[in-house]
Amino acid sequence: MADMDPFEQAQIQLARALKVQKISDALSARLRKPEREITVAIPVTMDDGTTRVFEGYRVQYSSLRGPYKGGIRYHPDADINEVRALAFWMTFKCAVAGIPMGGGKGGITVDPKTLSAGEIERLTRGFVQRLAPILGPYMDVPGPDVGTNAVVLGIIADEYSEIVGKPTPAVATGKPINEGGSEGRAAATGAGGMHTLMALLPHLTKKKPAQMTVAIQGFGNVGSFLARNLFSEGFKIIAVSDSKGGIHSEKGLNPDAVERYKKDNSTLKGFPGTKSITNEKLLELPCEIVVPAALENAITKHNAKKIRANIVLEMANGPTSTEADDILFKKGIAVVPDILANSGGVVVSTYEWEQNLKGEHWSEKDVLDKLRKLLNRESKNVWERSKKLKTDLRRAAFALALERLEKALGAKTAK
Ligand code: NAD
């Protein structure tokens, strides 16, 4: 998928947004480069006694609006350039959501599926030992991303706490509930995607959820929770996929049953009543909503013309190239941009951070209600901005973020 430099794409998105939203030269200059980036080598004793050295990264893009915030990705294709792009998008995502966080991201070039639980733990502890001087609840707060989960984030908080000599759960989010994690965090990104979609839907179509079909590429944390949320709103999920391929049924899929099947069989393939479909063909299915929820560059100039959905809901980060954006726009397809659509994860991560700092534990209902209200408000703000500026939702979301980043810079320089 990674046939295009994601950081270049991100900078092009910024340049396009700057045509509709004027900002100061000072902010424009600051947004061109990350404030800090670090590459580390992490030696790990493997189960067979040999030592392997893994490369890890943390990019701290902007602290204008608060501590750096962003997930850690464990993936064989993770590299500094990808992490830099993801850190850039986090800066804008946190600003669109209006949460008091800056932007960061991390990663390790590794295929976690090939490591044992013990090896992943030693790798994670080694990563934290290398990064500890630049992490902290008020400095940089990692969360989960592709290939990492609550267990990994719990280990990050535990290792950091060991290093600083006191319990510091607020250093990482997405932890297990009994280690200071927030209720609702696992479901948050998927739930957030559903709230964003529901807030924008009346503006994008006359159809009701029960009349709408959805194809989802990527049935991991984000894709599976989104599928469940959309299913319970009445949408018909006609296809889902993972890295090995997908399944398709015009009759519709029950995401809970699919999840159970995948757990039992380690594959989606063969789910009763479905046909196999490739990841490429899934995106091209005739349906109302197509959801890239896997990795970057899912929709490019090579396949954008073939997209037949009316709405693209970007749950992955950076799934659509700017060339594809233009093609989709000409075809009248609305793209709900990643920095809005998938912000539910970082919003609830911020609630987790706040609970840890205050020593509180909120109920799942309180967390998800707060998330729904925030995303309703900010989705409407993005919609109104797009009308005011006569532009697409991506440029409108960037414009809103730029305005908030400008305010933060103004407040800093006024001191
Ligand atoms: P995950 O590791 O839980 O799931 C990723 C899914 O994508 C898996 O089903 C995997 O099999 C599938 N996949 C991998 N390569 C694929 C390919 N080439 N084609 C099709 N499917 C493929 O990761 P996740 O946390 O669900 O993240 C998915 C996306 O959402 C990423 O872009 C991530 O940055 C973004 N995101 C995640 C969160 C979060 O809270 N986890 C928040 C915001 C955005």
Side-chain angles (χ1 to χ4, degrees):
M1 268 194 203
D3 60 343
M4 223 168 283
D5 180 337
F7 188 62
E8 240 170 70
Q9 286 293 321
Q11 289 287 334
I12 297 172
Q13 289 174 349
L14 175 61
R16 287 155 66 108
L18 291 179
K19 296 218 166 92
V20 296
Q21 177 77 26
K22 296 289 162 243
I23 60 169
S24 66
D25 291 345
L27 180 61
S28 165
R30 276 174 182 249
L31 290 175
R32 261 185 255 286
K33 273 183 192 294
E35 290 173 8
R36 181 193 278 147
E37 50 185 42
I38 179 166
T39 299
V40 296
I42 314 152
V44 177
T45 307
M46 308 303 283
D47 290 346
D48 64 5
T50 59
T51 297
R52 273 178 70 188
V53 177
F54 294 88
E55 195 161 296
Y57 322 91
R58 186 76 186 163
V59 175
Q60 298 179 329
Y61 206 94
S62 169
S63 57
L64 271 177
R65 302 188 70 261
Y68 306 104
K69 182 88 198 80
I72 306 263
R73 178 172 291 196
Y74 287 1
H75 193 274
D77 295 334
D79 64 21
I80 187 74
N81 218 24
E82 180 185 62
V83 172
R84 192 181 292 133
L86 291 164
F88 170 93
W89 284 317
M90 285 308 296
T91 304
F92 287 84
K93 195 182 299 184
C94 293
V96 174
I99 49 177
M101 291 291 177
K105 201 82 182 187
I108 299 181
T109 312
V110 60
D111 181 355
K113 287 185 206 137
T114 63
L115 266 55
S116 69
E119 289 167 341
I120 289 183
E121 172 162 1
R122 294 193 287 282
L123 174 67
T124 303
R125 290 192 186 277
F127 192 36
V128 176
Q129 287 156 18
R130 292 282 189 261
L131 293 185
I134 58 160
L135 298 182
Y138 295 105
M139 199 189 294
D140 187 347
V141 185
D145 193 66
V146 176
T148 54
N149 54 22
V151 175
V152 170
L153 273 300
I155 294 169
I156 292 177
D158 184 64
E159 185 63 26
Y160 183 83
S161 299
E162 286 283 326
I163 292 168
V164 298
K166 57 181 177 196
T168 315
V171 71
T173 60
K175 303 178 293 292
I177 303 277
N178 60 0
E179 294 173 37
S182 178
E183 305 289 343
R185 173 61 186 90
T189 309
M194 183 265 289
H195 292 315
T196 302
L197 180 66
M198 294 305 282
L200 294 174
L201 212 54
H203 302 296
L204 303 178
T205 177
K206 290 197 170 69
K207 289 191 179 164
K208 297 277 169 254
Q211 302 163 290
M212 302 183 83
T213 50
V214 185
I216 303 177
Q217 183 194 66
F219 197 67
N221 175 287
V222 173
S224 64
F225 276 103
L226 178 79
R228 276 192 214 115
N229 276 282
L230 295 184
F231 182 76
S232 58
E233 287 294 324
F235 292 88
K236 194 199 269 186
I237 315 295
I238 59 162
V240 299
S241 69
D242 63 18
S243 57
K244 293 180 211 130
I247 50 174
H248 174 212
S249 161
E250 280 304 324
K251 286 200 183 122
L253 301 162
N254 177 330
D256 285 327
V258 175
E259 178 91 44
R260 274 195 302 276
Y261 182 87
K262 170 142 189 182
K263 228 177 218 152
D264 293 343
N265 300 282
S266 309
T267 178
L268 295 167
K269 283 202 181 125
F271 182 78
T274 63
K275 284 188 240 151
S276 288
I277 186 164
T278 63
N279 267 303
E280 292 72 36
K281 288 282 174 239
L282 179 145
L283 294 174
E284 297 163 13
L285 280 173
C287 59
E288 306 296 330
I289 304 170
V290 70
V291 185
L295 296 172
E296 297 93 69
N297 285 324
I299 307 179
T300 66
K301 63 179 179 190
H302 304 298
N303 63 351
K305 283 196 196 84
K306 297 185 199 153
I307 304 291
R308 286 188 277 175
N310 298 317
I311 298 170
V312 174
L313 180 66
E314 291 189 330
M315 295 307 291
N317 285 306
T320 312
S321 73
T322 41
E323 288 156 320
D325 256 350
D326 290 341
I327 297 169
L328 296 174
F329 184 76
K330 279 198 196 113
K331 282 170 66 107
I333 299 172
V335 178
V336 184
D338 49 4
I339 57 170
L340 174 66
N342 72 26
S343 63
V346 72
V347 169
V348 174
S349 271
T350 304
Y351 297 160
E352 180 173 329
W353 173 78
E354 193 182 334
Q355 289 170 74
N356 294 157
L357 290 176
K358 293 179 174 163
E360 293 176 356
H361 189 79
W362 306 345
S363 72
E364 181 169 13
K365 184 177 178 309
D366 285 353
V367 169
L368 294 178
D369 277 355
K370 238 169 119 91
L371 173 69
R372 180 176 45 77
K373 282 186 197 139
L374 183 148
L375 282 173
N376 264 334
R377 187 181 66 231
E378 299 308 340
S379 302
K380 284 184 185 136
N381 277 338
V382 170
W383 174 257
E384 278 158 21
R385 187 60 62 106
S386 80
K387 289 291 110 190
K388 188 173 154 206
L389 298 175
K390 296 190 176 55
T391 193
D392 60 11
L393 294 170
R394 191 184 315 282
R395 286 179 180 87
F398 266 91
L400 189 62
L402 286 166
E403 186 178 278
R404 291 173 177 171
L405 285 157
E406 188 81 84
K407 267 197 196 128
L409 179 62
K412 266 198 167 62
T413 45
K415 278 181 197 152

PDB file of all heavy atoms in Angstrom, residues 76-97:
ATOM      1  N   PRO A  76       5.994  -3.977  10.243  1.00  0.00           N
ATOM      2  CA  PRO A  76       7.238  -4.159   9.477  1.00  0.00           C
ATOM      3  C   PRO A  76       7.572  -2.991   8.550  1.00  0.00           C
ATOM      4  O   PRO A  76       8.748  -2.766   8.241  1.00  0.00           O
ATOM      5  CB  PRO A  76       6.993  -5.437   8.661  1.00  0.00           C
ATOM      6  CG  PRO A  76       5.585  -5.851   8.911  1.00  0.00           C
ATOM      7  CD  PRO A  76       5.046  -5.079  10.063  1.00  0.00           C
ATOM      8  N   ASP A  77       6.553  -2.211   8.120  1.00  0.00           N
ATOM      9  CA  ASP A  77       6.822  -1.071   7.220  1.00  0.00           C
ATOM     10  C   ASP A  77       6.965   0.251   7.961  1.00  0.00           C
ATOM     11  O   ASP A  77       7.124   1.299   7.321  1.00  0.00           O
ATOM     12  CB  ASP A  77       5.699  -0.916   6.183  1.00  0.00           C
ATOM     13  CG  ASP A  77       5.622  -2.112   5.242  1.00  0.00           C
ATOM     14  OD1 ASP A  77       6.658  -2.777   5.059  1.00  0.00           O
ATOM     15  OD2 ASP A  77       4.517  -2.390   4.728  1.00  0.00           O
ATOM     16  N   ALA A  78       6.854   0.242   9.289  1.00  0.00           N
ATOM     17  CA  ALA A  78       6.965   1.512  10.022  1.00  0.00           C
ATOM     18  C   ALA A  78       8.359   2.089   9.788  1.00  0.00           C
ATOM     19  O   ALA A  78       9.356   1.369   9.848  1.00  0.00           O
ATOM     20  CB  ALA A  78       6.734   1.277  11.514  1.00  0.00           C
ATOM     21  N   ASP A  79       8.432   3.372   9.480  1.00  0.00           N
ATOM     22  CA  ASP A  79       9.731   4.046   9.378  1.00  0.00           C
ATOM     23  C   ASP A  79       9.559   5.503   9.815  1.00  0.00           C
ATOM     24  O   ASP A  79       8.448   5.960  10.062  1.00  0.00           O
ATOM     25  CB  ASP A  79      10.341   3.920   7.971  1.00  0.00           C
ATOM     26  CG  ASP A  79       9.497   4.602   6.907  1.00  0.00           C
ATOM     27  OD1 ASP A  79       8.692   5.487   7.246  1.00  0.00           O
ATOM     28  OD2 ASP A  79       9.648   4.246   5.726  1.00  0.00           O
ATOM     29  N   ILE A  80      10.669   6.216   9.879  1.00  0.00           N
ATOM     30  CA  ILE A  80      10.636   7.571  10.440  1.00  0.00           C
ATOM     31  C   ILE A  80       9.725   8.492   9.632  1.00  0.00           C
ATOM     32  O   ILE A  80       9.030   9.344  10.162  1.00  0.00           O
ATOM     33  CB  ILE A  80      12.074   8.153  10.587  1.00  0.00           C
ATOM     34  CG1 ILE A  80      12.076   9.499  11.321  1.00  0.00           C
ATOM     35  CG2 ILE A  80      12.774   8.283   9.262  1.00  0.00           C
ATOM     36  CD1 ILE A  80      11.848   9.390  12.793  1.00  0.00           C
ATOM     37  N   ASN A  81       9.689   8.279   8.326  1.00  0.00           N
ATOM     38  CA  ASN A  81       8.893   9.144   7.459  1.00  0.00           C
ATOM     39  C   ASN A  81       7.396   8.947   7.696  1.00  0.00           C
ATOM     40  O   ASN A  81       6.628   9.908   7.731  1.00  0.00           O
ATOM     41  CB  ASN A  81       9.242   8.803   6.005  1.00  0.00           C
ATOM     42  CG  ASN A  81       9.280  10.025   5.157  1.00  0.00           C
ATOM     43  OD1 ASN A  81       9.497  11.134   5.668  1.00  0.00           O
ATOM     44  ND2 ASN A  81       9.060   9.849   3.885  1.00  0.00           N
ATOM     45  N   GLU A  82       7.025   7.679   7.855  1.00  0.00           N
ATOM     46  CA  GLU A  82       5.618   7.390   8.140  1.00  0.00           C
ATOM     47  C   GLU A  82       5.236   7.957   9.513  1.00  0.00           C
ATOM     48  O   GLU A  82       4.191   8.598   9.669  1.00  0.00           O
ATOM     49  CB  GLU A  82       5.387   5.870   8.130  1.00  0.00           C
ATOM     50  CG  GLU A  82       3.952   5.486   8.420  1.00  0.00           C
ATOM     51  CD  GLU A  82       3.753   3.974   8.529  1.00  0.00           C
ATOM     52  OE1 GLU A  82       4.341   3.340   9.427  1.00  0.00           O
ATOM     53  OE2 GLU A  82       3.016   3.425   7.716  1.00  0.00           O
ATOM     54  N   VAL A  83       6.116   7.748  10.492  1.00  0.00           N
ATOM     55  CA  VAL A  83       5.822   8.221  11.847  1.00  0.00           C
ATOM     56  C   VAL A  83       5.722   9.749  11.865  1.00  0.00           C
ATOM     57  O   VAL A  83       4.865  10.331  12.535  1.00  0.00           O
ATOM     58  CB  VAL A  83       6.893   7.700  12.839  1.00  0.00           C
ATOM     59  CG1 VAL A  83       6.731   8.324  14.210  1.00  0.00           C
ATOM     60  CG2 VAL A  83       6.796   6.180  12.967  1.00  0.00           C
ATOM     61  N   ARG A  84       6.565  10.397  11.071  1.00  0.00           N
ATOM     62  CA  ARG A  84       6.539  11.876  10.979  1.00  0.00           C
ATOM     63  C   ARG A  84       5.180  12.345  10.433  1.00  0.00           C
ATOM     64  O   ARG A  84       4.585  13.294  10.937  1.00  0.00           O
ATOM     65  CB  ARG A  84       7.676  12.319  10.054  1.00  0.00           C
ATOM     66  CG  ARG A  84       7.967  13.782  10.084  1.00  0.00           C
ATOM     67  CD  ARG A  84       9.093  14.105   9.106  1.00  0.00           C
ATOM     68  NE  ARG A  84      10.380  13.576   9.482  1.00  0.00           N
ATOM     69  CZ  ARG A  84      11.210  12.918   8.653  1.00  0.00           C
ATOM     70  NH1 ARG A  84      10.876  12.696   7.395  1.00  0.00           N
ATOM     71  NH2 ARG A  84      12.375  12.486   9.078  1.00  0.00           N
ATOM     72  N   ALA A  85       4.713  11.670   9.392  1.00  0.00           N
ATOM     73  CA  ALA A  85       3.406  12.041   8.815  1.00  0.00           C
ATOM     74  C   ALA A  85       2.294  11.826   9.841  1.00  0.00           C
ATOM     75  O   ALA A  85       1.418  12.676  10.024  1.00  0.00           O
ATOM     76  CB  ALA A  85       3.127  11.205   7.571  1.00  0.00           C
ATOM     77  N   LEU A  86       2.359  10.696  10.535  1.00  0.00           N
ATOM     78  CA  LEU A  86       1.311  10.390  11.509  1.00  0.00           C
ATOM     79  C   LEU A  86       1.338  11.404  12.663  1.00  0.00           C
ATOM     80  O   LEU A  86       0.283  11.802  13.172  1.00  0.00           O
ATOM     81  CB  LEU A  86       1.491   8.956  12.021  1.00  0.00           C
ATOM     82  CG  LEU A  86       1.202   7.863  10.975  1.00  0.00           C
ATOM     83  CD1 LEU A  86       1.775   6.508  11.408  1.00  0.00           C
ATOM     84  CD2 LEU A  86      -0.296   7.731  10.700  1.00  0.00           C
ATOM     85  N   ALA A  87       2.546  11.855  13.038  1.00  0.00           N
ATOM     86  CA  ALA A  87       2.674  12.857  14.106  1.00  0.00           C
ATOM     87  C   ALA A  87       2.105  14.209  13.651  1.00  0.00           C
ATOM     88  O   ALA A  87       1.470  14.934  14.425  1.00  0.00           O
ATOM     89  CB  ALA A  87       4.138  13.008  14.514  1.00  0.00           C
ATOM     90  N   PHE A  88       2.320  14.522  12.386  1.00  0.00           N
ATOM     91  CA  PHE A  88       1.764  15.747  11.790  1.00  0.00           C
ATOM     92  C   PHE A  88       0.229  15.697  11.869  1.00  0.00           C
ATOM     93  O   PHE A  88      -0.422  16.635  12.321  1.00  0.00           O
ATOM     94  CB  PHE A  88       2.238  15.824  10.337  1.00  0.00           C
ATOM     95  CG  PHE A  88       1.579  16.880   9.495  1.00  0.00           C
ATOM     96  CD1 PHE A  88       2.145  18.136   9.359  1.00  0.00           C
ATOM     97  CD2 PHE A  88       0.393  16.614   8.826  1.00  0.00           C
ATOM     98  CE1 PHE A  88       1.542  19.103   8.569  1.00  0.00           C
ATOM     99  CE2 PHE A  88      -0.214  17.576   8.045  1.00  0.00           C
ATOM    100  CZ  PHE A  88       0.354  18.826   7.906  1.00  0.00           C
ATOM    101  N   TRP A  89      -0.331  14.552  11.422  1.00  0.00           N
ATOM    102  CA  TRP A  89      -1.804  14.441  11.438  1.00  0.00           C
ATOM    103  C   TRP A  89      -2.351  14.513  12.858  1.00  0.00           C
ATOM    104  O   TRP A  89      -3.433  15.052  13.080  1.00  0.00           O
ATOM    105  CB  TRP A  89      -2.246  13.140  10.745  1.00  0.00           C
ATOM    106  CG  TRP A  89      -2.160  13.214   9.253  1.00  0.00           C
ATOM    107  CD1 TRP A  89      -2.548  14.256   8.473  1.00  0.00           C
ATOM    108  CD2 TRP A  89      -1.647  12.209   8.355  1.00  0.00           C
ATOM    109  NE1 TRP A  89      -2.303  13.964   7.147  1.00  0.00           N
ATOM    110  CE2 TRP A  89      -1.768  12.720   7.040  1.00  0.00           C
ATOM    111  CE3 TRP A  89      -1.108  10.938   8.534  1.00  0.00           C
ATOM    112  CZ2 TRP A  89      -1.361  12.004   5.915  1.00  0.00           C
ATOM    113  CZ3 TRP A  89      -0.719  10.218   7.406  1.00  0.00           C
ATOM    114  CH2 TRP A  89      -0.837  10.749   6.110  1.00  0.00           C
ATOM    115  N   MET A  90      -1.606  13.963  13.826  1.00  0.00           N
ATOM    116  CA  MET A  90      -2.074  14.033  15.226  1.00  0.00           C
ATOM    117  C   MET A  90      -2.193  15.487  15.680  1.00  0.00           C
ATOM    118  O   MET A  90      -3.109  15.845  16.430  1.00  0.00           O
ATOM    119  CB  MET A  90      -1.122  13.285  16.168  1.00  0.00           C
ATOM    120  CG  MET A  90      -1.198  11.782  16.124  1.00  0.00           C
ATOM    121  SD  MET A  90      -2.842  11.087  16.334  1.00  0.00           S
ATOM    122  CE  MET A  90      -3.245  11.596  17.993  1.00  0.00           C
ATOM    123  N   THR A  91      -1.248  16.323  15.246  1.00  0.00           N
ATOM    124  CA  THR A  91      -1.280  17.743  15.616  1.00  0.00           C
ATOM    125  C   THR A  91      -2.615  18.362  15.180  1.00  0.00           C
ATOM    126  O   THR A  91      -3.263  19.091  15.942  1.00  0.00           O
ATOM    127  CB  THR A  91      -0.116  18.473  14.908  1.00  0.00           C
ATOM    128  OG1 THR A  91       1.098  17.820  15.270  1.00  0.00           O
ATOM    129  CG2 THR A  91      -0.054  19.940  15.274  1.00  0.00           C
ATOM    130  N   PHE A  92      -3.021  18.033  13.959  1.00  0.00           N
ATOM    131  CA  PHE A  92      -4.254  18.617  13.417  1.00  0.00           C
ATOM    132  C   PHE A  92      -5.489  17.946  14.016  1.00  0.00           C
ATOM    133  O   PHE A  92      -6.505  18.589  14.259  1.00  0.00           O
ATOM    134  CB  PHE A  92      -4.241  18.539  11.882  1.00  0.00           C
ATOM    135  CG  PHE A  92      -3.266  19.538  11.321  1.00  0.00           C
ATOM    136  CD1 PHE A  92      -1.917  19.225  11.222  1.00  0.00           C
ATOM    137  CD2 PHE A  92      -3.683  20.805  10.977  1.00  0.00           C
ATOM    138  CE1 PHE A  92      -1.012  20.165  10.764  1.00  0.00           C
ATOM    139  CE2 PHE A  92      -2.782  21.752  10.533  1.00  0.00           C
ATOM    140  CZ  PHE A  92      -1.443  21.430  10.412  1.00  0.00           C
ATOM    141  N   LYS A  93      -5.374  16.632  14.252  1.00  0.00           N
ATOM    142  CA  LYS A  93      -6.511  15.895  14.811  1.00  0.00           C
ATOM    143  C   LYS A  93      -6.866  16.441  16.196  1.00  0.00           C
ATOM    144  O   LYS A  93      -8.030  16.682  16.498  1.00  0.00           O
ATOM    145  CB  LYS A  93      -6.137  14.414  14.911  1.00  0.00           C
ATOM    146  CG  LYS A  93      -7.310  13.509  15.124  1.00  0.00           C
ATOM    147  CD  LYS A  93      -6.866  12.068  15.269  1.00  0.00           C
ATOM    148  CE  LYS A  93      -6.145  11.574  14.015  1.00  0.00           C
ATOM    149  NZ  LYS A  93      -5.796  10.151  14.118  1.00  0.00           N
ATOM    150  N   CYS A  94      -5.847  16.628  17.039  1.00  0.00           N
ATOM    151  CA  CYS A  94      -6.108  17.124  18.391  1.00  0.00           C
ATOM    152  C   CYS A  94      -6.690  18.538  18.332  1.00  0.00           C
ATOM    153  O   CYS A  94      -7.555  18.895  19.143  1.00  0.00           O
ATOM    154  CB  CYS A  94      -4.822  17.116  19.226  1.00  0.00           C
ATOM    155  SG  CYS A  94      -4.237  15.450  19.559  1.00  0.00           S
ATOM    156  N   ALA A  95      -6.235  19.331  17.360  1.00  0.00           N
ATOM    157  CA  ALA A  95      -6.756  20.702  17.231  1.00  0.00           C
ATOM    158  C   ALA A  95      -8.205  20.683  16.738  1.00  0.00           C
ATOM    159  O   ALA A  95      -9.038  21.450  17.228  1.00  0.00           O
ATOM    160  CB  ALA A  95      -5.858  21.514  16.292  1.00  0.00           C
ATOM    161  N   VAL A  96      -8.537  19.805  15.782  1.00  0.00           N
ATOM    162  CA  VAL A  96      -9.932  19.726  15.290  1.00  0.00           C
ATOM    163  C   VAL A  96     -10.851  19.306  16.437  1.00  0.00           C
ATOM    164  O   VAL A  96     -11.963  19.800  16.574  1.00  0.00           O
ATOM    165  CB  VAL A  96     -10.080  18.709  14.132  1.00  0.00           C
ATOM    166  CG1 VAL A  96     -11.548  18.532  13.753  1.00  0.00           C
ATOM    167  CG2 VAL A  96      -9.306  19.160  12.916  1.00  0.00           C
ATOM    168  N   ALA A  97     -10.366  18.377  17.261  1.00  0.00           N
ATOM    169  CA  ALA A  97     -11.190  17.894  18.373  1.00  0.00           C
ATOM    170  C   ALA A  97     -11.264  18.929  19.500  1.00  0.00           C
ATOM    171  O   ALA A  97     -12.114  18.830  20.378  1.00  0.00           O
ATOM    172  CB  ALA A  97     -10.635  16.574  18.901  1.00  0.00           C
TER     173      ALA A  97
END
